[in-house]
Amino acid sequence: MFHYENSLKFTCFLSRSLPAKMAIQFVLLLFSLLSGKSFALETADIPGMVSWNCIDFRVIGVCVKPPGIPGIVIMYWEPALLVETVKRPGDTLIESLRAVIADSAEQGAKSLISAAGQPAVPVSSGSGSAKLSGTNLQFNEAHVYEFPLRDQVMAFIDTECPDKLATGSFIKYLSELDSLEWRIGAVEALHPKSVASAASGLSCSVTGAFLDDLCMGFWGPTYPRRGFITHQSEVVGSAVAAVRAVSISSLLGSTAHIVLENTGFVPSLESDKLELIYPAQSGCIKIGQNPIIWESGKLSFSGKYLWVYWRRRICCVY
């Protein structure tokens, strides 16, 4: 018979054992997941989840402002956007947006239903050769937001860089609203860069080549910008969806995609960076960086991922 005294001794032993503590925490987490409880956060939580080393402030040169005022050239990265990817339409990590995104998913579903009578369009996954069936095929919905409190958290870098982003609406892009192009992509299929991507086949992700914004190195092709991607890593698949969504939400005057508000800048896949902040922190990584270096231990049990898009800024200050 297991007496209270033995139970107390066992509890005391666990309290002094770090591995045991970790085991208990793991069991509690697993129980929470199996119980259907979901992780949720609010926008105010985001700044505390970010690695601020990603700013990486540098002085890279000198400059002169007419009529001869000397200055310095600075370079740094700012957290321009927050991007999440989810597996289920209408799902989100941000609790206060749950109703809005669920409504967007409903609207997107209606758009797809209304388009169901149109002729079918051949759709690729963005791998150049794989169709919508096959090994390692993934699909993600993507949501692009303005980074919460961006101006406030960057206020300590008091510069006069001319390309400062204007504060706008928090929600920039929801793939559920853009469901016709994000899922089928009849117009995207005709984009010259989609044609070039198909012609290159799998050489992009195999060689890790970086071809302007056509290829994301080891992550695969940028075009066509859809929610489907063929890649063996779910984490990388999420990153690809995030970058494609940022590219779409930066379009000006697009009649093919539905963008709620333009991001206000043109992404540079060679100089901008991504940071995974949920389910684990990755630190800043280059777009297309070899997954072997950073991807381990980042898999999400829920299929939800949260990224910060860091935009590089270079300017002269006096």
Side-chain angles (χ1 to χ4, degrees):
M1 184 174 183
F2 192 70
H3 296 287
Y4 171 76
E5 181 182 357
N6 294 331
S7 176
L8 183 61
K9 288 179 181 178
F10 181 68
T11 304
C12 290
F13 168 75
L14 288 180
S15 68
R16 290 192 293 266
S17 171
L18 181 59
K21 283 184 179 179
M22 294 174 64
I24 291 173
Q25 290 173 354
F26 175 78
V27 170
L28 291 175
L29 174 62
L30 184 62
F31 178 76
S32 175
L33 291 170
L34 295 176
S35 301
K37 295 179 181 179
S38 59
F39 175 87
L41 52 84
E42 292 300 342
T43 54
D45 301 323
I46 303 300
M49 301 169 67
V50 172
S51 172
W52 294 106
N53 291 331
C54 293
I55 293 174
D56 196 13
F57 186 94
R58 310 177 192 179
V59 176
I60 60 173
V62 295
C63 52
V64 178
K65 177 181 179 181
I69 302 172
I72 58 172
V73 181
I74 64 170
M75 178 174 72
Y76 63 95
W77 282 259
E78 70 170 349
L81 302 167
L82 183 69
V83 189
E84 73 172 337
T85 71
V86 298
K87 294 297 185 184
R88 294 184 301 170
D91 203 358
T92 180
L93 282 164
I94 303 176
E95 189 62 34
S96 59
L97 297 179
R98 193 167 297 280
V100 174
I101 295 178
D103 182 64
S104 298
E106 186 176 345
Q107 293 181 49
K110 290 178 180 178
S111 298
L112 282 174
I113 291 172
S114 65
Q118 298 179 7
V121 178
V123 183
S124 76
S125 67
S127 66
S129 61
K131 298 300 180 182
L132 288 185
S133 61
T135 306
N136 298 325
L137 179 68
Q138 305 178 40
F139 177 79
N140 290 282
E141 299 285 2
H143 312 140
V144 180
Y145 311 117
E146 186 171 284
F147 186 83
L149 306 172
R150 181 182 60 214
D151 293 342
Q152 291 86 337
V153 298
M154 295 300 293
F156 70 95
I157 300 182
D158 187 18
T159 67
E160 297 179 1
C161 290
D163 60 341
K164 182 178 180 181
L165 296 176
T167 301
S169 300
F170 181 66
I171 302 177
K172 305 294 184 185
Y173 175 79
L174 301 176
S175 62
E176 288 92 340
L177 284 177
D178 192 32
S179 58
L180 207 54
E181 278 301 306
W182 188 252
R183 289 174 175 271
I184 300 174
V187 177
E188 272 287 321
L190 302 177
H191 196 291
K193 291 185 177 180
S194 296
V195 176
S197 175
S200 66
L202 295 174
S203 62
C204 165
S205 57
V206 172
T207 63
F210 217 110
L211 308 172
D212 188 25
D213 68 339
L214 184 64
C215 171
M216 289 180 271
F218 288 98
W219 299 2
T222 310
Y223 294 83
R225 292 165 297 184
R226 302 188 181 110
F228 291 97
I229 181 67
T230 301
H231 202 284
Q232 65 270 27
S233 167
E234 180 181 292
V235 185
V236 173
S238 169
V240 169
V243 173
R244 287 177 176 176
V246 170
S247 176
I248 291 170
S249 57
S250 300
L251 293 171
L252 285 172
S254 172
T255 56
H257 292 279
I258 299 174
V259 177
L260 296 176
E261 183 176 82
N262 187 272
T263 62
F265 69 96
V266 178
S268 173
L269 303 192
E270 291 190 86
S271 59
D272 296 342
K273 299 178 182 180
L274 275 184
E275 180 191 9
L276 181 66
I277 61 173
Y278 178 86
Q281 193 179 71
S282 67
C284 266
I285 56 177
K286 293 180 179 179
I287 295 172
Q289 187 169 335
N290 194 330
I292 294 175
I293 301 171
W294 62 271
E295 183 256 2
S296 178
K298 306 298 189 298
L299 183 67
S300 170
F301 289 108
S302 65
K304 302 177 189 179
Y305 296 87
L306 194 60
W307 303 86
V308 177
Y309 189 93
W310 292 83
R311 179 179 72 126
R312 187 183 70 173
R313 298 181 68 187
I314 299 177
C315 64
C316 185
V317 294
Y318 306 95

